[in-house]
Amino acid sequence: MAAVDLAGGLSAADIEGIGHGSSSATVLAAGWERLRAAEGYLQRLVDERRLVYGVTTGYGPLATSRIDPSASRTLQRNLVYHLCSGVGDPLSRCHTRATLAARIASVTRGHSGVTPAVVERLLGWLEQDVIPEVPAIGTVGASGDLTPLAHVARALMGEGRVSVHGGAWEPADAAQRRLGWEPWTLDGKDAIALVNGTSTTAGISAVTGAGAERAAGICAVLGMLYAELLGGHAEAFQPAIGAARPHPGQMRAHAWLTALAEDSRRLQPWPGVPPRLDEEQGAVLPDQPLPQDPYSIRCLPQALGAVLDSITFHNQTVASELDAASDNPLLFPEEGRVLHGGNFFGQHLAFAADALNNALVQLAVHSERRINRITDPVRSGFPAFMQPRQTGLHSGFMGAQVTASALVAEMRTGAHPASIQSVPTNADNQDIVPMSTRAARQAATNLDHLQRILAIEALVLAQALELTDRTGFSHSARQTLAWVRELAPPLEADRPLAEEIAAVADALATPHRAQRLVAGLPGAPPGPAS
């Protein structure tokens, strides 16, 4: 298992690996040095009775109250208590682990002043798979993810509930004592350093961004199989087309599709030069084969390329946030400065998550259109809904095709941008808010829906391939068929498909299983660390 230094440069894939438990988390020496320097500087400020927001003042509009350092522990505890007002279902294990990793990354930049032992405890939680119960709803992303991070801090204090190694919820104090830890007493700047940042949004966004890149690769694989099944023209995938319109994502998509098509004999080959017209024909020779394919084949590089550029923008934004100190105030020990500002404001992540959400919806729309065309016997030449035996008595994938349409509707209604939904709050102290956590959660939900649509497409295309003579298909097509058949048998007669759709979707959502489908792509989306 690879170890990720959370105090170093990070990518979305690094946090995803920790979220899924395929990578371990560590902090190397430079991170500990920064933590100790910030803690020491904070202690000097407290000893000198300096005014530091959230340490010697109240919070938000109550910062007009000056708090004596002797009341520090009560102040920090009460910050956690009043913010533990989250509602709704808890975040998933993966998203919670990603949140913990992102928070460690932020405070180890050396500007937060948190006690280093708090970071040691959070690292221990990741190692022992201790998951605090964190309600998903309750933050507007303005002072960062105050509410979900407060529920993390509450569990550190031995309150609330945790799950250990995927077990049932249990009291946080009992679970920690069983593992050899006493509940932590927050002091100094511990509470505000834990809660006043963008780490829930960043953690969820990292997991979604890494998954989205793999989903785009899977769309390329399935899109090429679809093109092979319908006898598409290889010409549309020529890299020169991408070079003539040099968006990085489109050029990457052309490289992927060219590699996938390389050994296919099912595609119509590119002749190199346009064929001549028949010299014996009249002015018009009607009803000849179309020289170009429908857009679901011909425009695959352009559609996929735009998605890849959106994913790149999202993941670069997430990487910048993971390398950032996102709380307030910020301590600069070497310069002897304290700066009060707004690095907790999650607007960058909100915009990025909304952009990613749009891209995910477009992948879903294109997948659903491929399902619709290939299951329509008039337009595809395949049996209706891929059921060749006693059609009418059996309906094949008819219901699954309708489910794909319903999932697109779910995604579209969940694609309204969250980043523009400012709702002033906190006695108008937070008079503008970015709703970044909502944007991240929305994109994560739509990734789940996309994987369900791709699962339906994979099942349909595998069935279609088996209805051919199977000759001339690319290595990728044959590999995709084998991958699907590990999870679901051919559809000989009607049967419930819900469990098989769920099984394939779960495999697509599991990094090391999905990676097998895209491993052959040039510059393939990163796989799980090992």
PDB file of all heavy atoms in Angstrom, residues 325-339:
ATOM      1  N   ALA A 325      -3.665  26.531   2.801  1.00  0.00           N
ATOM      2  CA  ALA A 325      -4.185  26.770   4.153  1.00  0.00           C
ATOM      3  C   ALA A 325      -5.497  27.526   3.986  1.00  0.00           C
ATOM      4  O   ALA A 325      -5.512  28.649   3.492  1.00  0.00           O
ATOM      5  CB  ALA A 325      -3.201  27.580   4.971  1.00  0.00           C
ATOM      6  N   SER A 326      -6.611  26.884   4.397  1.00  0.00           N
ATOM      7  CA  SER A 326      -7.919  27.448   4.058  1.00  0.00           C
ATOM      8  C   SER A 326      -8.689  27.957   5.274  1.00  0.00           C
ATOM      9  O   SER A 326      -9.905  28.116   5.204  1.00  0.00           O
ATOM     10  CB  SER A 326      -8.755  26.395   3.309  1.00  0.00           C
ATOM     11  OG  SER A 326      -9.023  25.271   4.131  1.00  0.00           O
ATOM     12  N   ASP A 327      -7.999  28.211   6.396  1.00  0.00           N
ATOM     13  CA  ASP A 327      -8.746  28.663   7.575  1.00  0.00           C
ATOM     14  C   ASP A 327      -8.438  30.132   7.894  1.00  0.00           C
ATOM     15  O   ASP A 327      -7.775  30.830   7.135  1.00  0.00           O
ATOM     16  CB  ASP A 327      -8.497  27.755   8.784  1.00  0.00           C
ATOM     17  CG  ASP A 327      -7.030  27.462   9.030  1.00  0.00           C
ATOM     18  OD1 ASP A 327      -6.295  27.233   8.072  1.00  0.00           O
ATOM     19  OD2 ASP A 327      -6.618  27.458  10.191  1.00  0.00           O
ATOM     20  N   ASN A 328      -8.934  30.578   9.008  1.00  0.00           N
ATOM     21  CA  ASN A 328      -8.803  31.979   9.431  1.00  0.00           C
ATOM     22  C   ASN A 328      -8.785  32.028  10.954  1.00  0.00           C
ATOM     23  O   ASN A 328      -9.596  31.348  11.591  1.00  0.00           O
ATOM     24  CB  ASN A 328      -9.990  32.793   8.900  1.00  0.00           C
ATOM     25  CG  ASN A 328      -9.969  34.225   9.411  1.00  0.00           C
ATOM     26  OD1 ASN A 328      -9.022  34.953   9.185  1.00  0.00           O
ATOM     27  ND2 ASN A 328     -11.010  34.620  10.126  1.00  0.00           N
ATOM     28  N   PRO A 329      -7.905  32.820  11.557  1.00  0.00           N
ATOM     29  CA  PRO A 329      -6.838  33.597  10.936  1.00  0.00           C
ATOM     30  C   PRO A 329      -5.671  32.700  10.539  1.00  0.00           C
ATOM     31  O   PRO A 329      -5.574  31.553  10.969  1.00  0.00           O
ATOM     32  CB  PRO A 329      -6.440  34.570  12.031  1.00  0.00           C
ATOM     33  CG  PRO A 329      -6.720  33.822  13.294  1.00  0.00           C
ATOM     34  CD  PRO A 329      -7.957  33.018  13.018  1.00  0.00           C
ATOM     35  N   LEU A 330      -4.766  33.250   9.727  1.00  0.00           N
ATOM     36  CA  LEU A 330      -3.576  32.534   9.305  1.00  0.00           C
ATOM     37  C   LEU A 330      -2.372  33.064  10.086  1.00  0.00           C
ATOM     38  O   LEU A 330      -2.197  34.269  10.242  1.00  0.00           O
ATOM     39  CB  LEU A 330      -3.340  32.723   7.810  1.00  0.00           C
ATOM     40  CG  LEU A 330      -4.429  32.157   6.888  1.00  0.00           C
ATOM     41  CD1 LEU A 330      -4.112  32.490   5.437  1.00  0.00           C
ATOM     42  CD2 LEU A 330      -4.576  30.650   7.062  1.00  0.00           C
ATOM     43  N   LEU A 331      -1.555  32.126  10.553  1.00  0.00           N
ATOM     44  CA  LEU A 331      -0.345  32.464  11.300  1.00  0.00           C
ATOM     45  C   LEU A 331       0.866  32.351  10.376  1.00  0.00           C
ATOM     46  O   LEU A 331       0.977  31.403   9.594  1.00  0.00           O
ATOM     47  CB  LEU A 331      -0.163  31.510  12.477  1.00  0.00           C
ATOM     48  CG  LEU A 331      -1.379  31.312  13.402  1.00  0.00           C
ATOM     49  CD1 LEU A 331      -1.047  30.304  14.489  1.00  0.00           C
ATOM     50  CD2 LEU A 331      -1.813  32.633  14.008  1.00  0.00           C
ATOM     51  N   PHE A 332       1.762  33.300  10.473  1.00  0.00           N
ATOM     52  CA  PHE A 332       3.003  33.289   9.701  1.00  0.00           C
ATOM     53  C   PHE A 332       4.161  33.391  10.696  1.00  0.00           C
ATOM     54  O   PHE A 332       4.676  34.484  10.974  1.00  0.00           O
ATOM     55  CB  PHE A 332       3.023  34.449   8.701  1.00  0.00           C
ATOM     56  CG  PHE A 332       1.961  34.335   7.636  1.00  0.00           C
ATOM     57  CD1 PHE A 332       0.661  34.774   7.884  1.00  0.00           C
ATOM     58  CD2 PHE A 332       2.249  33.772   6.406  1.00  0.00           C
ATOM     59  CE1 PHE A 332      -0.317  34.660   6.920  1.00  0.00           C
ATOM     60  CE2 PHE A 332       1.273  33.660   5.433  1.00  0.00           C
ATOM     61  CZ  PHE A 332      -0.021  34.100   5.682  1.00  0.00           C
ATOM     62  N   PRO A 333       4.572  32.251  11.284  1.00  0.00           N
ATOM     63  CA  PRO A 333       5.555  32.280  12.389  1.00  0.00           C
ATOM     64  C   PRO A 333       6.875  32.940  12.011  1.00  0.00           C
ATOM     65  O   PRO A 333       7.436  33.698  12.813  1.00  0.00           O
ATOM     66  CB  PRO A 333       5.753  30.793  12.704  1.00  0.00           C
ATOM     67  CG  PRO A 333       4.529  30.118  12.194  1.00  0.00           C
ATOM     68  CD  PRO A 333       4.095  30.893  11.003  1.00  0.00           C
ATOM     69  N   GLU A 334       7.376  32.665  10.812  1.00  0.00           N
ATOM     70  CA  GLU A 334       8.689  33.202  10.449  1.00  0.00           C
ATOM     71  C   GLU A 334       8.658  34.718  10.308  1.00  0.00           C
ATOM     72  O   GLU A 334       9.670  35.391  10.547  1.00  0.00           O
ATOM     73  CB  GLU A 334       9.157  32.566   9.135  1.00  0.00           C
ATOM     74  CG  GLU A 334       9.468  31.071   9.263  1.00  0.00           C
ATOM     75  CD  GLU A 334       9.981  30.484   7.959  1.00  0.00           C
ATOM     76  OE1 GLU A 334      10.085  31.241   6.956  1.00  0.00           O
ATOM     77  OE2 GLU A 334      10.295  29.279   7.944  1.00  0.00           O
ATOM     78  N   GLU A 335       7.507  35.250   9.931  1.00  0.00           N
ATOM     79  CA  GLU A 335       7.382  36.693   9.744  1.00  0.00           C
ATOM     80  C   GLU A 335       6.809  37.390  10.973  1.00  0.00           C
ATOM     81  O   GLU A 335       6.760  38.617  11.023  1.00  0.00           O
ATOM     82  CB  GLU A 335       6.495  36.984   8.530  1.00  0.00           C
ATOM     83  CG  GLU A 335       7.012  36.355   7.246  1.00  0.00           C
ATOM     84  CD  GLU A 335       5.986  36.441   6.126  1.00  0.00           C
ATOM     85  OE1 GLU A 335       5.118  37.327   6.193  1.00  0.00           O
ATOM     86  OE2 GLU A 335       6.037  35.616   5.204  1.00  0.00           O
ATOM     87  N   GLY A 336       6.321  36.595  11.943  1.00  0.00           N
ATOM     88  CA  GLY A 336       5.721  37.180  13.132  1.00  0.00           C
ATOM     89  C   GLY A 336       4.427  37.924  12.828  1.00  0.00           C
ATOM     90  O   GLY A 336       4.181  38.994  13.382  1.00  0.00           O
ATOM     91  N   ARG A 337       3.599  37.334  11.934  1.00  0.00           N
ATOM     92  CA  ARG A 337       2.362  38.014  11.545  1.00  0.00           C
ATOM     93  C   ARG A 337       1.158  37.101  11.732  1.00  0.00           C
ATOM     94  O   ARG A 337       1.253  35.877  11.606  1.00  0.00           O
ATOM     95  CB  ARG A 337       2.425  38.452  10.077  1.00  0.00           C
ATOM     96  CG  ARG A 337       3.413  39.557   9.786  1.00  0.00           C
ATOM     97  CD  ARG A 337       3.122  40.203   8.433  1.00  0.00           C
ATOM     98  NE  ARG A 337       3.285  39.270   7.324  1.00  0.00           N
ATOM     99  CZ  ARG A 337       2.974  39.570   6.055  1.00  0.00           C
ATOM    100  NH1 ARG A 337       2.457  40.767   5.778  1.00  0.00           N
ATOM    101  NH2 ARG A 337       3.165  38.698   5.090  1.00  0.00           N
ATOM    102  N   VAL A 338       0.026  37.740  12.019  1.00  0.00           N
ATOM    103  CA  VAL A 338      -1.278  37.074  12.006  1.00  0.00           C
ATOM    104  C   VAL A 338      -2.144  37.841  11.020  1.00  0.00           C
ATOM    105  O   VAL A 338      -2.271  39.066  11.120  1.00  0.00           O
ATOM    106  CB  VAL A 338      -1.950  37.099  13.401  1.00  0.00           C
ATOM    107  CG1 VAL A 338      -3.314  36.412  13.336  1.00  0.00           C
ATOM    108  CG2 VAL A 338      -1.055  36.440  14.434  1.00  0.00           C
ATOM    109  N   LEU A 339      -2.729  37.118  10.063  1.00  0.00           N
ATOM    110  CA  LEU A 339      -3.562  37.770   9.056  1.00  0.00           C
ATOM    111  C   LEU A 339      -4.978  37.215   9.119  1.00  0.00           C
ATOM    112  O   LEU A 339      -5.189  35.994   9.038  1.00  0.00           O
ATOM    113  CB  LEU A 339      -2.979  37.568   7.658  1.00  0.00           C
ATOM    114  CG  LEU A 339      -1.617  38.227   7.403  1.00  0.00           C
ATOM    115  CD1 LEU A 339      -1.139  37.926   5.989  1.00  0.00           C
ATOM    116  CD2 LEU A 339      -1.706  39.741   7.618  1.00  0.00           C
TER     117      LEU A 339
END
